[in-house]
């Protein structure tokens, strides 16, 4: 997981009071469309519009107008990950482009001719984008917030996803989840009263595959039955959305 950022200064910033968050503008839609056209031209899937990322971008665009220089983080302002998470975004990776310019076309053109901005636009991991543009005296202040987004899942849904991955490894996941959920919340050890032979705990942003240590445990112990339990992620460790899981093997 990483954060990638870049900025491009095209015109002098002016200080002015700006409006609160608003509906998507024509300039924002145009930058969104141009970004997806750039990706399609390079054989990449298009990005979906993210309202939460757009909200985070809007706040930063307003701050850009207030300041007399461009930055991804101003004094007293949360960093990009915190801004996006506070707006409700769930993500594995996040990146940002910022710029000022006379038009949406000009900004997109300059981004595509700037290696760090181009890399953000053409990052194959990214699947979501929010755009904010504030116009002031003929100058556009633009922010693109990209993310490799993931879902906010309930514990039951997390357990179902992990269970599907275990069944693909020929592991029976019919054992009751209560003990595994207790083990997940404990953080260490195996709950008393269970006859589990082994346990694996992990925290991951990706439920598309099992962590390597889980597969290693399955093959090393020749386990055929398991219980899956999910619990709340470890607080304060990261702004990235993660899933915390314990698997009891029998």
């Amino acid at each position: 997981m990483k954060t990638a950022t870049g900025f491009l200064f095209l015109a002098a910033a002016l200080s002015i009071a700006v409006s609160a968050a608003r509906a998507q503008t024509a300039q924002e839609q145009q930058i969104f469309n141009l970004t997806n056209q750039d990706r399609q031209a390079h054989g990449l899937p298009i990005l979906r519009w993210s309202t939460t990322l757009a909200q985070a971008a809007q706040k930063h665009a307003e701050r850009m107008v207030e300041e007399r220089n461009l930055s991804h983080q101003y004094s007293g302002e949360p960093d990009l990950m915190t801004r996006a998470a506070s707006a409700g975004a769930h993500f594995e990776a996040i990146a940002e482009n910022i710029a000022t310019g006379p038009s949406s076309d000009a900004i997109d053109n300059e981004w595509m001719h700037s290696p760090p901005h181009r890399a953000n636009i053409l990052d194959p991991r990214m699947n979501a984008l929010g755009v904010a543009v504030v116009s002031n005296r003929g100058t556009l202040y633009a922010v693109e917030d990209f993310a490799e987004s993931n879902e906010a899942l309930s514990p039951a849904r997390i357990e179902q996803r992990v269970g599907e991955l275990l069944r693909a490894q020929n592991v029976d996941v019919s054992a009751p989840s209560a003990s595994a959920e207790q083990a997940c919340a404990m953080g260490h050890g195996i709950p008393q009263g269970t006859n589990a032979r082994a346990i694996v705990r992990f925290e991951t942003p990706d439920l598309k595959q099992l962590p390597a240590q889980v597969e290693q445990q399955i093959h090393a112990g020749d386990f055929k039955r398991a219980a899956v339990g999910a619990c709340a992620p470890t607080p304060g460790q990261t702004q990235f959305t993660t899933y915390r899981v314990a698997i009891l093997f029998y």
Side-chain angles (χ1 to χ4, degrees), residues 3 20 23-24 34 40-41 51 65 77 79 113 132 137 145 147 179 186 199 209 212 228 230:
T3 300
Q24 188 177 358
L34 289 169
Q40 287 181 305
T51 300
V65 178
E77 183 186 35
D79 63 18
H113 285 84
R137 300 182 185 180
D145 282 350
S179 294
M186 287 169 54
I199 184 172
Q209 60 184 5
V228 181

Side-chain angles (χ1 to χ4, degrees), residues 59-181:
K59 289 185 177 180
H60 191 65
E62 292 173 355
R63 186 67 183 269
M64 284 167 55
V65 178
E66 295 174 358
E67 301 290 337
R68 295 187 178 277
N69 64 305
L70 291 184
S71 174
H72 289 284
Q73 183 179 9
Y74 297 103
S75 176
E77 183 186 35
D79 63 18
L80 171 60
M81 288 187 293
T82 303
R83 296 197 302 267
S86 297
H90 301 275
F91 49 87
E92 299 180 37
I94 194 162
E96 181 172 81
N97 285 346
I98 63 175
T100 63
S103 68
S104 299
D105 285 335
I107 289 173
D108 177 72
N109 183 63
E110 292 296 336
W111 276 338
M112 285 298 290
H113 285 84
S114 166
H117 301 87
R118 180 186 177 92
N120 287 341
I121 290 172
L122 301 182
D123 189 334
R125 300 171 306 158
M126 301 302 177
N127 56 23
L129 172 63
V131 181
V133 178
V134 177
S135 179
N136 174 48
R137 300 182 185 180
T139 296
L140 301 182
Y141 297 75
V143 178
E144 285 190 315
D145 282 350
F146 303 84
E148 180 185 5
S149 65
N150 54 15
E151 302 173 85
L153 300 175
S154 67
R157 186 66 177 128
I158 296 169
E159 292 166 9
Q160 180 183 3
R161 290 274 185 91
V162 175
E164 292 168 355
L165 295 172
L166 288 168
R167 279 192 289 273
Q169 297 289 327
N170 298 315
V171 177
D172 176 5
V173 291
S174 61
S177 61
S179 294
E181 291 169 352

